[in-house]
Structures are given as structure tokens and as C-alpha cells.
Amino acid sequence: TKSSFIADCGSPSVFDIPLDCPSCTMCCNSKQECDAKESKSNYGMWAAVYVGSLVFALLLASTRYIKKSFKCICNFGQNVASSANQYHTIGKDSAYCFFLSNRFTAWFLGIGVLATQALCFGFFIDEASLNFESDRIWSYTYICSRNNLICRNNSDVTAFGWIVFTLFALVYLVCDMLNGLKIVWGVSEHGLSRKGFQTFIGGCSLFVITALALYATVVYNVSASRSNLEMIF
């Protein structure tokens, strides 16, 4: 028989010092909101793994060997962005086109924008992680009244909410990801040169920061949305 051990180890706590209960199966806060201990997450760590994996994959995609292998299988890569339209592919209004410049000031601005966006997304990712010892934006999944033995599920999110959210996210983000991938795919045309390095950094930055935005949006909705309306808007 499976049993549960529920304790007041959530945040905000009913005690001055939050209760530490490693063996509890569910933690509740002073609002009688509860969640399973197994739901405790560290999205920040997984974000680092996610970004590292993307950068490694993009490095592979920029090599001549991988490009030749794909050309043998399909026609992918025939429409690679040339030097003439790389600015247009990244976006002339995008700060990441600064990485295609030879000027130090442009690179300084590009790195500044990249770091600022990464820090902003990192803040949302960190806040989305469930930590019972501190207040976060995480919305507890269950309501467990003290005078009731049955906990009520507080989430009304359905498959419809996830489908609409996914469509919105793809519409707004997938174009930048594809453009970044297109730029990286053409890096091998420049070989091991300064132009090739600039092209890789520009395309990689555009792709990775957009992918990180998608990741932050997903984990934020997982942690904070408990209805289809919250999920979509």
C-alpha cells in the first residue's frame, strides 16, 4: 500500500523557521497549498546543460564534414545565407548583426545585449524552479484543507492550452531559430578565418538565445500556469 507523509515544509511557512522534512512526500505552506517533494526542480542546472548541448550541436553543424553528409542525404544547405545577405538573415534591426562587424564597439554592444537577455531569462528560469525553502513564482498544484483527507488538484490546464501555447511560441520564435541555424550552416564556407568566427558567433547567439527564450517560456508556464488562460496569456 502506497502511503503519503504530508508536512508543513512549504513556503511561506506557518513557522518562524521553515520545517526541514527530507522524508516527507508532500510539502504544504501556510495557505494550505501543497506539492509533491518529487516535483522539486532545478531548471537552472538543466538550462546550462541545454545551452551547452545546443552550442556543441551548432559547432558540429558548422563543420564541412557534417555539411557534406547532409548534402548527400537531402538538399538541405543549398540555400545557405551568403555574406551579402547575412545581415538580412540575422535581422538588420537585431543587435546580433553586430557580431558580423569588425568594429570593437559593435562587438561590445552585441555581447552586452546577449548577456542582458541571458540574465533576464536566467532570472525567470531560476524563479520557476520549485524550492520549498523559499518563495518562488511556482504555483502549488494541490489544495489540502486541514479538515479534509483528500487533496484537490489546483490545475485546470488541458491539452488545448498546451497546443495553443505551443503554436504561439513557435510562431514567435521558430523563425529566429531557423535563421540562426541557417547562418551557422554557412560558416564552413569561410573556413577557419575571422569571418567564419564572426559568422558562427552571430548565428549561434541568435539561435541559442532564442532557444533559451523558448525554454524559459516553457518552464515558466509549467511552474506558474494553472489554467488554460494563464497558459496562453
Side-chain angles (χ1 to χ4, degrees), residues 9-168:
C9 50
S11 181
S13 177
V14 295
F15 307 106
D16 294 333
I17 301 176
L19 180 65
D20 184 20
C21 185
S23 60
C24 295
T25 54
M26 186 171 289
C27 280
C28 299
N29 59 20
S30 59
K31 302 176 184 178
Q32 301 182 32
E33 300 171 336
C34 307
D35 222 320
K37 285 291 290 288
E38 62 184 17
S39 298
K40 189 173 181 179
S41 58
N42 188 351
Y43 290 131
M45 179 191 69
W46 288 111
V49 174
Y50 174 66
V51 170
S53 300
L54 289 177
V55 173
F56 179 73
L58 290 174
L59 279 171
L60 291 179
S62 66
T63 61
R64 289 181 179 273
Y65 176 76
I66 296 296
K67 188 174 180 179
K68 288 179 180 178
S69 299
F70 270 84
K71 279 186 175 180
C72 291
I73 299 173
C74 58
N75 292 325
F76 186 82
Q78 289 187 348
N79 296 322
V80 171
S82 63
S83 300
N85 64 7
Q86 284 176 350
Y87 284 99
H88 177 73
T89 303
I90 290 181
K92 293 184 179 180
D93 296 329
S94 172
Y96 298 111
C97 69
F98 291 151
F99 290 118
L100 302 179
S101 172
N102 294 324
R103 301 184 63 178
F104 173 79
T105 305
W107 271 75
F108 180 80
L109 291 175
I111 292 173
V113 171
L114 179 64
T116 301
Q117 287 188 313
L119 285 174
C120 290
F121 293 141
F123 171 77
F124 280 98
I125 293 169
D126 182 65
E127 281 294 310
S129 300
L130 175 58
N131 188 338
F132 292 108
E133 290 79 26
S134 60
D135 290 332
R136 300 292 179 93
I137 62 171
W138 182 282
S139 295
Y140 285 68
T141 307
Y142 302 98
I143 299 294
C144 300
S145 302
R146 301 184 187 280
N147 59 351
N148 198 331
L149 295 177
I150 300 177
C151 294
R152 178 172 58 86
N153 194 322
N154 194 36
S155 178
D156 296 323
V157 178
T158 63
F160 173 78
W162 276 107
I163 291 172
V164 176
F165 161 74
T166 302
L167 290 175
F168 281 178

